[in-house]
Amino acid sequence: TSAYALNGVARGVGTFAGTMVGGFLPMLFATLMQQDVDAPGPYRAALWMGSALALLGLIPLILISPAEPKQHHVKDEPTVPFPLLAVGLLVLHVYLSQLGPASCQFFCSAYMDTTLLLSAAAIGLLTGIGQFTTILAPLLTPRLVARHGNGWTLMATSLGTALSLLPLALIPHWSAAGVGRLGALALAAIWMPALQVFQMELVDPRWRTVTYGIVSMAMGCAYASVGFIGGRVVSGWGYSTLFSLALTMTLLGTVLMWGMLKNPAFVRREE
């Protein structure tokens, strides 16, 4: 859990640094290229810079020495069937609970721009504060897991995400939008490391890679659903309806995890 938490911290640092530096790159390249900042050239160069920096991430992977895999005596172990019901319930929890963070990530900036009429600088400031919290938030995961377990952490952070969406749905004010976005981003950063360990503890080692792929697909489906449907909901009924629907779905995901934790037949007991 600590390793996954540190991974989340590193990801948050990269996102925050990229956001801060990326904001200045178009202006820098516009000066170097002697073009207007509204021209596409400076932004194209900034995107190429991001691609070049991403390629540098291959260097640490090359330098890592391969670890000796643990030898599992498959012939001596009984064949363990794939836990279809348990994984199916986890997939449903992931899908429902991620609709809240997805709606905030996709539509919070547009909401603050078109409805609250905030300036680009104010939106950037609120977004930057929220992203900064994602750097430190995963450090709380090992402490929560050690005290309550990964399943409880998933349930609690999903509930917290639903509560964070409440001011976005009910209070049309910049402070409510800022608090809601900050809460959703921070709790999602705590939720992720707990999920990564929980899904591995849920299944036999031979099924972990398959389960990881299925769960990742469920998370992607949640974001895709919000991307496809969210705009229609906003255009037809407004942002308040979108955040209310996302809140309701996230609560359902919380209740589902609570039910899983109450039934040991579906979830392996955490040691």
Side-chain angles (χ1 to χ4, degrees), residues 61-136:
L61 292 178
I62 296 173
L63 296 177
I64 293 175
S65 300
E68 288 293 333
K70 293 183 178 181
Q71 298 295 328
H72 297 285
H73 301 287
V74 179
K75 293 183 179 180
D76 299 332
E77 295 178 355
T79 302
V80 179
F82 183 74
L84 185 61
L85 180 58
V87 173
L89 291 174
L90 179 61
V91 164
L92 187 56
H93 162 76
V94 169
Y95 178 81
L96 292 173
S97 62
Q98 285 302 286
L99 292 175
S103 65
C104 192
Q105 179 172 327
F106 284 168
F107 293 100
C108 270
S109 295
Y111 167 65
M112 290 187 284
D113 180 23
T114 60
T115 301
L116 301 183
L117 303 179
L118 296 180
S119 65
I123 295 174
L125 177 62
L126 293 175
T127 303
I129 293 174
Q131 289 180 339
F132 183 76
T133 62
T134 64
I135 298 175
L136 302 177

Side-chain angles (χ1 to χ4, degrees), residues 83-239:
L84 185 61
L85 180 58
V87 173
L89 291 174
L90 179 61
V91 164
L92 187 56
H93 162 76
V94 169
Y95 178 81
L96 292 173
S97 62
Q98 285 302 286
L99 292 175
S103 65
C104 192
Q105 179 172 327
F106 284 168
F107 293 100
C108 270
S109 295
Y111 167 65
M112 290 187 284
D113 180 23
T114 60
T115 301
L116 301 183
L117 303 179
L118 296 180
S119 65
I123 295 174
L125 177 62
L126 293 175
T127 303
I129 293 174
Q131 289 180 339
F132 183 76
T133 62
T134 64
I135 298 175
L136 302 177
L139 296 176
L140 296 175
T141 305
R143 190 179 298 271
L144 291 173
V145 170
R147 179 171 297 185
H148 302 288
N150 288 293
W152 183 93
T153 304
L154 292 175
M155 180 183 66
T157 51
S158 297
L159 177 60
T161 301
L163 295 177
S164 297
L165 293 174
L166 194 60
L168 283 165
L170 298 180
I171 307 173
H173 193 267
W174 69 266
S175 59
V179 170
R181 187 170 200 175
L182 187 150
L185 290 175
L187 289 165
I190 298 173
W191 179 88
M192 179 60 73
L195 171 70
Q196 291 170 323
V197 179
F198 182 83
Q199 66 184 359
M200 290 192 296
E201 293 179 340
L202 183 65
V203 299
D204 189 79
R206 72 180 65 196
W207 299 118
R208 285 177 179 171
T209 54
V210 176
T211 303
Y212 199 101
I214 294 173
V215 171
S216 298
M217 184 178 66
M219 193 179 307
C221 287
Y223 279 79
S225 298
V226 174
F228 283 124
I229 302 174
R232 296 180 180 273
V233 174
V234 170
S235 61
W237 297 280
Y239 287 99

